[in-house]
Amino acid sequence: MDFQYAPAPESRSVVDIRSSYGLFINGAFVDGRGESFKSVNPATEEALADIAAASAEDVDAAVRAARHAFDTVWGPMPGRERAKYLFRIARIIQERARELAVLESLDNGKPIRESRDVDVPLVAAHFFYYAGWADKLPYAGFGPDPKPLGVAAQVIPWNFPLLMLAWKIAPALAAGNTVVLKPAETTPLTALLFAEICQQAELPPGVVNIITGAGDTGRLLVEHAGVDKVAFTGSTEVGRAIARAAAGTRKRLTLELGGKAANIVFDDAALDQAVEGVVNGIFFNQGHVCCAGSRLLLQESVAEEFLESLKRRMASLRVGDPLDKNTDVGAINSSAQLARIRQLSQIGEDEGAERWSAPCELPSRGYWFAPTIFTGVTQAHRIAREEIFGPVLSVLTFRTPDEAVEKANNTPYGLSAGIWTEKGSRILHIADKLRAGVVWANTFNKFDPTSPFGGYKESGYGREGGRHGLEAYLEH
Amino acid sequence: MSTESPARLAVRKTYKLYIGGAFPRSESGRSYQVHSASGAFLANAALGSRKDARDAVKAARAAVGKWSGATAYNRGQVLYRVAEVLEGRHEQFVSEVKAAEGGSRKEAAAQVDAAIDRWVWYAGWSDKIAQIHGGANPVAGPYFNLSAPEPTGVVAVVAPAGSSLLGLVSVIAPAIVTGNTVVVVASTDKPLPAISLTEVLATSDLPGGVVNVLTGKVAEIAPWLASHLDVNAIDLTGVTDDTLAKDLEVAAAENLKRVIRPADPDWNADPGVSRMLALLEIKTVWHPKGV
């Protein structure tokens, strides 16, 4: 039977997008001195707005505004007062949640179901959580009188634009730092709406500065001599360059970088649940997730049965309009990312892996990639080693638990991993052996402000979220 | 012919490296002269090479599984045993520290006392650090969620240049108490207490390879450790040259090593927990609740 869904679009009229946006420096929007660029809706290729690009002078102005706010207002302010500003921000995010969700889906291409039910609620929760820490820092376990670092330079990626902003700004402000944040070039709009939220909350000028631009602007920001702390989420390649640039400066550094997570399914797993988990693990957010379960490790005895169920489930995924409430998989964020996904998928085929894509009709305009799996993948294949950052799953098999652990750990990354088995002692044993910062057992891609997130090895250092997330912003 | 026997000639010790629980000479066959604070010749120490550094990393990596897999109770007892054995050799270390650092015998004794006490202090942390630095997280959903610290792995340590025993112990103990293994580059000018300390470690039930000690030139050995892809973290405490420190940090970025570079530590102060935390990874495990 063929089930048809009527279109169920979320109204985009809840959000007003201005034709152009400036930089948010010292509490006001100002013109950028760089060459402006356009932010594009990846589902339609339509330009959404003109975005200012920050020049070296603009970056300098933003850092000076942050320093001044740190020295005169935010640094000296009692924690209980800082807390109330953060609670205010959390509340305004809740009040304007739908507006933020629609804007996020327009600018990023992710399904409204995810921006509305995952991203934006987590953003509000994150500010709410860290608000409560602002006046309780001596209880955080980093000494009796922990001090803020000063000005934090923060550079975030395009996959969870507003959520990554929250992960960066909430703990920094709670700890008493001021920030200059640069959103990704392709997804600046929710950060700019957040700047308006700071104005509504009457956050003192200069405490939060948002500057837009491409990689050059980011480099100017993290290399600016006036910042005390650099926090970056993005690719391992750029993270490495930032670590090199910060060498010898004594700037504090936290990096949340790439991943190639193993999702391990044992033969005694609840297979239907595991199929759901594997689908969520790789196709959530179009696979634009650093902790995505992009390597599926199947125990040989159930591999065939599992793959059949997985393909059946993938065939029912609805790919298309991000603003449609029934959409499961939205648009690829940019043409550049689409090109990379296509290139690595082609390499997968060329190297001899077998490709299968869900039979789905893709819209004619915009950037799209059908949910895809590769079977017959070996550890030497590039699609088993490199982060694809798209809806592409590489399937490997194993016979024994030891082999599963060895394969799972055979990567320079170490961000996350998944375990599917009904045997509790096995979960705990395997979780101990996996070199990864987050281990999801019989679930995947769960996030919470109280739960620290971050990687081992080349997935970066430092943790975001939870009590541990404060450490990155405190002198101790 | 005189019947009086001549004054007895002392038996000197050959100072060698400590790698994988054994005491090899440098593979390079080289040595260098070590002098006391007052300039007197003390001994020839091994002049460690790139190959020695690589051998030491291999030994340290091989030891990670067993040492990090040991119970925290066991690691605590081993560290306490180090303190016991060191106490028994108190006088020897007072002489060596005095020779290396100068000053009075009383001052050297205070350094040795503090070094022994530091082992005791860290020994007690082995089964507590996970309790103060980990725990359950109250996530908003039906999930068990637990964060626990784990050792980061192999740590390269450039030991303090000046504090030949207390400083050395203060950088080794916080790294290994949590299950890391270390490759230490001892103070170039004051390496002898470090080599004598390895004799204590070798007789304290510390598995071979958990602590490896190289002597020689920091500027020659440290770059190989900083760029080694099987090293997880590097402690630059003993690097006094800012240009070298920067170069080492750049090299360390290749595989994103965790880097420790404190500004001029006071070894007599309360160490706090920051050194232990800097060499730990937090792992968070989620599981759904349900019937």
Side-chain angles (χ1 to χ4, degrees), chain A residues 8-359:
Chain A
E10 176 69 53
S11 167
R12 67 175 279 181
S13 67
V14 296
V15 61
D16 287 323
I17 302 177
R18 288 189 242 152
S19 60
S20 68
Y21 288 85
L23 311 170
F24 184 67
I25 295 176
N26 207 27
F29 283 95
V30 298
D31 291 339
R33 277 166 273 209
E35 197 173 329
S36 69
F37 57 97
K38 291 188 191 312
S39 191
V40 168
N41 178 346
T44 60
E45 300 178 50
E46 93 186 274
L48 292 168
D50 270 329
I51 309 295
S55 68
E57 284 168 285
D58 298 324
V59 170
D60 193 50
V63 172
R64 272 187 285 114
R67 172 66 58 193
H68 185 71
F70 176 74
D71 289 339
T72 58
V73 185
W74 200 248
M77 188 184 290
R80 62 175 186 278
E81 299 300 311
R82 287 203 310 272
K84 286 188 284 186
Y85 279 110
L86 291 171
F87 280 123
R88 261 195 199 181
I89 289 171
R91 280 300 195 224
I92 299 174
I93 288 165
Q94 289 173 329
E95 287 160 10
R96 303 182 67 173
R98 191 55 56 89
E99 195 182 339
L100 287 162
V102 170
L103 187 59
E104 194 78 304
S105 282
L106 283 170
D107 203 20
N108 168 279
K110 66 175 66 198
I112 185 71
R113 197 161 51 79
E114 291 176 11
S115 53
R116 182 194 64 199
D117 299 346
V118 181
D119 295 55
V120 175
L122 277 173
V123 170
H126 223 82
F127 277 97
F128 208 87
Y129 175 76
Y130 279 108
W133 269 122
D135 54 358
K136 300 169 192 66
L137 298 175
Y139 299 95
F142 305 113
D145 188 21
K147 298 271 191 277
L149 300 171
V151 175
Q154 306 179 316
V155 177
I156 58 171
W158 44 260
N159 57 341
F160 293 93
L162 191 63
L163 184 57
M164 293 299 102
L165 173 149
W167 282 25
K168 294 282 180 287
I169 293 184
L173 263 49
N177 304 274
T178 57
V179 308
V180 180
L181 176 133
K182 189 194 88 69
E185 187 185 3
T186 61
T187 56
L189 293 183
T190 47
L192 295 163
L193 182 51
F194 178 81
E196 283 179 36
I197 289 173
C198 292
Q199 290 177 324
Q200 280 193 336
E202 293 172 7
L203 190 71
V207 173
V208 168
N209 304 276
I210 310 254
I211 57 170
T212 42
D216 289 344
T217 304
R219 195 173 311 117
L220 288 167
L221 175 58
V222 301
E223 293 180 9
H224 195 290
V227 307
D228 305 292
K229 156 82 192 176
V230 174
F232 171 76
T233 296
S235 72
T236 290
E237 188 191 345
V238 175
R240 208 173 264 145
I242 290 174
R244 285 193 193 107
T249 64
R250 294 190 184 274
K251 283 177 193 168
R252 286 271 297 273
L253 185 58
T254 40
L255 300 169
E256 204 269 89
L257 309 175
K260 193 74 192 178
N263 208 351
I264 308 169
V265 179
F266 287 96
D267 58 7
D268 68 343
L271 289 188
D272 287 346
Q273 288 174 33
V275 167
E276 281 304 308
V278 167
V279 165
N280 174 48
I282 186 62
F283 302 123
F284 173 65
N285 204 39
Q286 296 73 247
H288 299 330
V289 184
C290 46
C291 54
S294 54
R295 282 185 299 151
L296 173 61
L297 301 188
L298 288 176
Q299 196 152 24
E300 249 181 38
S301 46
V302 290
E304 208 173 314
E305 180 190 351
F306 188 93
L307 284 171
E308 224 169 273
S309 298
L310 178 62
K311 287 177 181 175
R312 194 165 54 235
R313 178 65 184 88
M314 282 171 64
S316 70
L317 289 171
R318 298 177 59 80
V319 183
D321 181 7
L323 285 188
D324 192 307
K325 293 169 204 165
N326 289 322
T327 292
D328 296 309
V329 179
I332 301 302
N333 179 253
S334 65
S335 61
Q337 187 58 27
L338 180 60
R340 176 169 169 79
I341 296 167
R342 284 179 173 157
Q343 183 199 13
L344 273 164
S345 298
Q346 187 58 49
I347 288 166
E349 281 189 56
D350 294 347
E351 290 187 346
E354 192 181 329
R355 176 176 183 162
W356 183 89
S357 293

Side-chain angles (χ1 to χ4, degrees), chain A residues 141-142 236 239-240 243-244 246-250 255 257 421 427-428 430-443 446-448 450-463 466-468 471 476, chain B residues 61 132-135 137-141 143-145 147-153 229 232 242 245-247 249-251 253-259 261-264 273-274 277-278 280-288:
Chain A
F142 305 113
T236 290
R240 208 173 264 145
R244 285 193 193 107
T249 64
R250 294 190 184 274
L255 300 169
L257 309 175
T421 168
I427 291 172
L428 297 177
I430 302 288
D432 268 356
K433 299 280 177 199
L434 293 172
R435 299 287 291 163
V438 184
V439 177
W440 286 292
N442 292 326
T443 184
K446 291 288 179 289
F447 308 94
D448 192 274
T450 67
S451 178
F453 182 94
Y456 286 41
K457 302 193 282 185
E458 294 183 29
S459 288
Y461 34 74
R463 292 295 178 270
R467 184 181 64 77
H468 298 87
E471 190 186 1
H476 66 91
Chain B
R61 174 58 63 193
I132 70 137
H133 199 51
N137 305 305
V139 296
Y143 294 91
F144 163 92
N145 179 293
S147 292
E150 288 188 349
T152 196
L229 293 183
N232 300 96
D242 279 348
K246 183 181 173 181
D247 290 347
E249 282 191 57
V250 169
E254 182 57 30
N255 67 335
L256 294 157
K257 289 180 184 70
R258 288 78 178 115
V259 178
R261 197 181 165 210
D264 204 18
V273 296
S274 59
L277 300 193
L280 289 169
E281 303 289 340
I282 294 297
K283 178 184 283 177
T284 301
V285 179
W286 293 67
H287 195 278

